[in-house]
Amino acid sequence: MAGGPSSLLPPLETYIDEEAIWIGVDRGVLYLLENGIIPVRGFGDFDSITEAEREYLHNYVPHLSVFPAEKDTTDTELALQWAVNQNPDRIYIFGATGGRLDHLFANVQLLSSDLYVGADITLIDTLNEVSVHVPGSYEAELLENFPYISFVPISAEVENLTLEGFKYPLKNCHISMGSTLCISNELVASKGTFSFTNGILMMVRSRD
């Protein structure tokens, strides 16, 4: 849980289960506590909260890692590094969209970096789910709360993109960075597939 605008957070109870391990980033630690979730760790410089709030965090969070404001990585990346090292099945990132655009773009770029690309990591807010994929074949299930699916190349080219089970199918199509060909597609069945042979592809599932 990062510290983006709380108004963009989805209902967290949807993602709470016995196997979930929660960690907070900066103000995101407060968001978790406000939702009755005690994170196992907290990361950040905590420059966006008051001294009283810091004391509150120290009383409730078992492990709070405080870093200087001037550093070479963002608070979110510090938390993501720790999370990836736990070898989880998947990672959901909340509170990482909205507000400052530099934070948004940095968080999306994290998913495509050499350290994290290919891992099962999804950015989630009330209107979107964002994931980044390496070459291969993937299944996409119909989600009523996120009916629109867009595919955006975030490498120079994505080669042989094939979409099956979609309203606008494709067969072995090459798309370049900057292309809007695959924006706002929809599934026409309970599930579909997408595959490609080269490049890095971002999938954005959205609702209005």
Side-chain angles (χ1 to χ4, degrees):
M1 173 67 71
S6 59
S7 59
L8 293 178
L9 296 180
L12 297 183
E13 59 268 18
T14 306
Y15 303 92
I16 296 175
D17 62 44
E18 293 180 355
E19 296 183 354
I21 297 173
W22 292 86
I23 60 176
V25 180
D26 207 81
R27 179 165 288 277
V29 182
L30 281 175
Y31 293 161
L32 290 176
L33 293 176
E34 289 167 358
N35 282 273
I37 301 170
I38 298 178
V40 298
R41 299 189 71 97
F43 295 84
D45 51 38
F46 299 100
D47 59 354
S48 65
I49 64 175
T50 66
E51 286 299 323
E53 289 171 330
R54 284 196 190 200
E55 187 64 28
Y56 175 65
L57 298 188
H58 280 288
N59 289 335
Y60 286 94
V61 181
H63 300 284
L64 204 62
S65 299
V66 181
F67 297 88
E70 297 180 356
K71 54 188 180 298
D72 295 332
T73 55
T74 64
D75 294 336
T76 300
E77 184 172 9
L78 290 170
L80 185 57
Q81 288 172 352
W82 182 88
V84 168
N85 287 336
Q86 310 313 302
N87 297 312
D89 292 332
R90 65 185 59 87
I91 297 174
Y92 296 144
I93 303 177
F94 306 96
T97 62
R100 288 178 53 173
L101 288 179
D102 56 342
H103 286 177
L104 169 62
F105 289 129
N107 291 332
V108 170
Q109 288 278 13
L110 275 179
L111 303 192
S112 62
S113 72
D114 291 340
L115 290 175
Y116 312 116
V117 68
D120 190 350
I121 305 173
T122 305
L123 297 178
I124 302 174
D125 64 21
T126 55
L127 300 177
N128 308 279
E129 289 188 352
V130 180
S131 55
V132 171
H133 302 271
V134 295
S137 181
Y138 302 88
E139 187 175 90
E141 293 186 2
L142 179 66
L143 300 178
E144 292 184 1
N145 54 330
F146 294 117
Y148 306 114
I149 304 180
S150 296
F151 296 98
V152 181
I154 54 175
S155 57
E157 274 199 324
V158 169
E159 298 179 357
N160 296 307
L161 177 61
T162 296
L163 306 179
E164 297 179 342
F166 286 82
K167 182 177 181 180
Y168 306 109
L170 285 178
K171 182 70 172 180
N172 296 329
C173 183
H174 289 25
I175 56 175
S176 302
M177 184 178 290
S179 170
T180 60
L181 174 66
C182 299
I183 299 299
S184 199
N185 210 331
E186 299 176 57
L187 288 168
V188 294
S190 60
K191 61 182 63 176
T193 62
F194 64 97
S195 62
F196 60 105
T197 60
N198 189 51
I200 302 176
L201 186 68
M202 180 169 63
M203 179 174 69
V204 182
R205 309 195 66 157
S206 303
R207 64 183 176 90
D208 291 324

